[in-house]
Amino acid sequence: MPEMDKSNDFFEENPCPNSLGDVSSLIEDFINLQSNSQNIAFVTSGGTLVPLEQNTVRFIDNFSAGNRGAASAEYFCKSGYSVIFLYRNYSLMPFTRRYEGPWTNLFERSNGSQEKPWIVKQEFQSTVFNALNELDTYTKHHRLIMIPYTTLTEYLWYLKAIAERLQIIASRALFYLAAAVSDFHIPPKELSEHKIQSGSGSNKLEVKMHPVPKFLRFLVDTWAPEASIISFKLETDPSILIDKARVALQRYNHQLVIANLLSTRKRSVAFVTSKTVEWLHLSDDDIVKKVEIEQYIVSRAISLHKERIQEFAKAP
Amino acid sequence: MPEMDKSNDFFEENPCPNSLGDVSSLIEDFINLQSNSQNIAFVTSGGTLVPLEQNTVRFIDNFSAGNRGAASAEYFCKSGYSVIFLYRNYSLMPFTRRYEGPWTNLFERSNGSQEKPWIVKQEFQSTVFNALNELDTYTKHHRLIMIPYTTLTEYLWYLKAIAERLQIIASRALFYLAAAVSDFHIPPKELSEHKIQSGSGSNKLEVKMHPVPKFLRFLVDTWAPEASIISFKLETDPSILIDKARVALQRYNHQLVIANLLSTRKRSVAFVTSKTVEWLHLSDDDIVKKVEIEQYIVSRAISLHKERIQEFAKAP
């Protein structure tokens, strides 16, 4: 069966989220508010939830605090891009990610004031107030819009809808797919209606999961044919990382895979294209200065994007 | 194989968290600071994370924001109990649960002040400041201690350690087990070392999970023989709810199961004992007045606990 049919099957079997219309309108408005030469980075971030029951008590999830996506969104903003940030609800957000603790830990008792008995702790004030300033400025000026999702199904519906809206800016769209998207799910017709029972206590539970259709193919071929598309490959086994990235590029024919290992992802990444593998490691000096690797990744992504825009401009 | 051996097997196969010693000391100190007649409620809250890989990228989890546990902990505090609150990291906490949004939404720009450009929004001030006051007061006076966990393994190690520390107060301990604990896990020796591969795209993934030993049995028989023990049963299928609660009581011989359905859990619960089933529904008036069902549940739990303390006091 051709892959295209599988995409349609997926969207037929997994109904769209109620908010799809609202999200599509928000994105349309956001795109309309941009100038004619504005580049837009579409950044996805965080894990996807996959229910194991229709009345969901249990689910499968991916570890992802969302720092890579949130940090990258910041650097795109600062580099002049407008940013659509599709993120897992409650995962980290651009700018405000810099304060990661629970909100209860933000405050200390103030001296004296009856009216404002609690104030933001001295130690967090500049971090928190600067983050709020930046977030507020970029969102107010339509340079950043943030759309939350929770489940795999929501993620894929939003991905498709946003990609289709971005077709209007053609090659000026850059897809930066940092979300940790599940490779497996259970189709609704195979989902247990009720909470799976543990039985007598000696029974094993076998969960059979189906592969999620490879949406990168539909992005490249149909939903966003002129955009530049960058995907991420996270592995824990170093011996297969680069091969997996290469296979993805051959299979989907997009522009760049950023390959990284779970244990070293904050200081080393490989840029894998159809022809080259280029490792980037933070220097000791970078680490001392708390330079984030996302700054370099975004810079590389933007170069690649601008080259591809040029190619489209030159094309007859 | 007797169940006891399975508990030992579990703790041998799943090594203790690094912080077990620290947590045990904190709990010991907390118990030592109580007066001789102080009752303590040990409230567990939130879901448990079960890794699917050793280098964990994927995991299974239970839906639970932790509101039942956090709300109940409040009512125990207000009823004079001291509370040990074992909660899933980032789930709701007593008092501060009343503000549930992201911290970024707490603030608005202040007028004029350069030094404090952002202040807590007027609409949230009383909620947030009262919550911080109460949390601060109860914790400072050693009436509330909060211990976070993330994984199933951490949860079970802490449960055992805290139960053992509570033996010193014998029947004055009340176990209120509201956490949504996974019935299944994958033993470390069967865990894939690396991220499970999705393969060519057409392969299914089969996850085989083992039942988690029934820890309620060890609590009742060995770890906390004189304490009062209340467990929760959450189902989505109304036709099996009460039977499941009864089976649990017969199997573990503890004092009370609070049975509830996912869809109606905020307004209806059943108190199931070895002899009775008693439904409690919030009245329309309760709902208008925003009375929380946890207030009634805690009140019922405390009556049961006090009766059992009396029984132990009368025993020869």
Side-chain angles (χ1 to χ4, degrees), chain B residues 166-281:
Chain B
L166 281 170
Q167 283 179 7
I168 198 168
I169 66 161
S171 68
R172 284 188 288 111
L174 171 62
F175 284 60
Y176 186 92
L177 305 171
V181 181
S182 181
D183 294 319
F184 299 102
H185 77 132
I186 304 181
K189 61 175 185 277
E190 293 191 18
L191 268 186
S192 157
E193 181 186 353
H194 287 297
K195 185 182 174 190
I196 300 164
Q197 294 301 313
S198 63
S200 70
S202 59
N203 297 331
K204 288 187 190 176
L205 172 70
E206 291 194 26
V207 181
K208 283 187 194 161
M209 305 193 72
H210 293 241
V212 173
K214 301 296 186 185
F215 281 84
L216 211 42
R217 180 184 301 280
F218 317 129
L219 268 183
V220 175
D221 292 349
T222 312
W223 302 343
E226 295 185 54
S228 295
I229 297 179
I230 298 175
S231 71
F232 285 76
K233 182 64 77 184
L234 176 79
E235 294 293 340
T236 62
D237 180 356
S239 71
I240 62 169
L241 178 67
I242 300 300
D243 278 351
K244 296 276 296 179
R246 283 207 176 107
V247 166
L249 276 171
Q250 281 161 11
R251 190 179 290 166
Y252 309 120
N253 198 29
H254 59 305
Q255 282 68 54
L256 178 66
V257 175
I258 297 174
N260 55 155
L261 291 167
L262 185 64
S263 54
T264 59
R265 70 192 187 283
K266 296 203 171 176
R267 51 180 198 274
S268 299
V269 298
F271 298 104
V272 185
T273 68
S274 54
K275 297 189 185 108
T276 57
V277 176
E278 200 183 303
W279 276 96
L280 167 73
H281 306 282

Side-chain angles (χ1 to χ4, degrees), chain A residues 46-50 59-64 88 150 180 182, chain B residues 52 56-61:
Chain A
T48 57
L49 183 153
V50 174
F59 56 91
I60 291 191
D61 211 330
N62 285 58
F63 260 118
S64 172
R88 168 69 177 271
T150 299
S182 180
Chain B
L52 296 184
T56 309
V57 175
R58 301 187 182 92
F59 56 91
I60 290 191
D61 211 330

Side-chain angles (χ1 to χ4, degrees), chain A residues 13-277:
Chain A
E13 285 173 12
N14 296 273
C16 75
N18 292 333
S19 49
L20 185 69
D22 292 342
V23 167
S24 301
S25 301
L26 283 171
I27 295 297
E28 252 173 57
D29 293 346
F30 182 80
I31 296 172
N32 287 336
L33 285 161
Q34 308 299 315
S35 78
N36 277 338
S37 59
Q38 180 64 44
N39 293 336
I40 300 182
F42 175 19
V43 177
T44 70
S45 186
T48 57
L49 183 153
V50 174
L52 296 185
E53 296 131 345
Q54 273 179 50
N55 293 290
T56 309
V57 175
R58 300 188 182 93
F59 56 91
I60 291 191
D61 211 330
N62 285 58
F63 260 118
S64 172
N67 191 62
R68 170 138 300 160
S72 300
E74 279 180 33
Y75 293 112
F76 278 115
C77 283
K78 292 184 178 190
S79 307
Y81 274 63
S82 290
V83 174
I84 298 170
F85 185 65
L86 180 64
Y87 72 106
R88 168 69 177 271
N89 222 337
Y90 304 115
S91 70
L92 295 175
M93 294 194 289
F95 306 110
T96 58
R97 73 185 169 100
R98 296 173 202 161
Y99 174 76
E100 286 185 51
W103 70 261
T104 50
N105 197 36
L106 271 177
F107 295 95
E108 63 190 358
R109 279 189 192 278
S110 73
N111 291 328
S113 167
Q114 281 292 84
E115 211 184 316
K116 306 253 182 319
W118 296 86
I119 55 169
V120 174
K121 285 178 188 163
Q122 194 69 39
E123 64 193 287
F124 298 137
Q125 281 188 10
S126 68
T127 305
V128 165
F129 295 157
N130 288 339
L132 289 169
N133 275 337
E134 292 193 84
L135 183 65
D136 188 56
T137 305
Y138 282 108
T139 48
K140 268 202 185 132
H141 291 87
H142 312 296
R143 292 284 310 287
L144 173 63
I145 187 170
M146 301 191 290
I147 308 289
Y149 69 87
T150 299
T151 64
L152 171 72
T153 301
E154 284 168 2
Y155 175 83
L156 291 174
W157 273 102
Y158 292 156
L159 180 71
K160 177 169 188 263
I162 295 171
E164 288 171 347
R165 299 300 171 292
L166 281 170
Q167 283 179 6
I168 199 169
I169 66 160
S171 68
R172 283 186 289 111
L174 170 62
F175 284 60
Y176 186 92
L177 305 170
V181 182
S182 180
D183 295 319
F184 300 102
H185 77 131
I186 304 181
K189 62 174 185 281
E190 295 191 16
L191 267 186
S192 156
E193 181 186 353
H194 287 298
K195 186 182 173 190
I196 300 163
Q197 294 301 315
S198 61
S200 71
S202 59
N203 298 332
K204 288 187 190 176
L205 173 69
E206 291 195 26
V207 181
K208 284 187 194 160
M209 306 193 72
H210 292 241
V212 173
K214 301 297 185 184
F215 281 85
L216 211 41
R217 180 185 301 280
F218 316 131
L219 268 183
V220 175
D221 291 350
T222 313
W223 302 343
E226 293 184 57
S228 295
I229 298 179
I230 297 175
S231 71
F232 284 76
K233 182 64 77 183
L234 176 79
E235 294 294 340
T236 61
D237 180 355
S239 71
I240 62 169
L241 178 66
I242 300 300
D243 278 352
K244 296 276 296 180
R246 282 208 177 106
V247 166
L249 276 171
Q250 280 161 12
R251 191 179 288 166
Y252 309 120
N253 199 29
H254 59 305
Q255 281 68 55
L256 177 67
V257 175
I258 296 174
N260 55 155
L261 292 167
L262 185 63
S263 54
T264 59
R265 69 193 187 283
K266 296 204 170 174
R267 52 180 199 275
S268 298
V269 298
F271 299 103
V272 184
T273 68
S274 55
K275 296 190 186 106
T276 57
V277 177

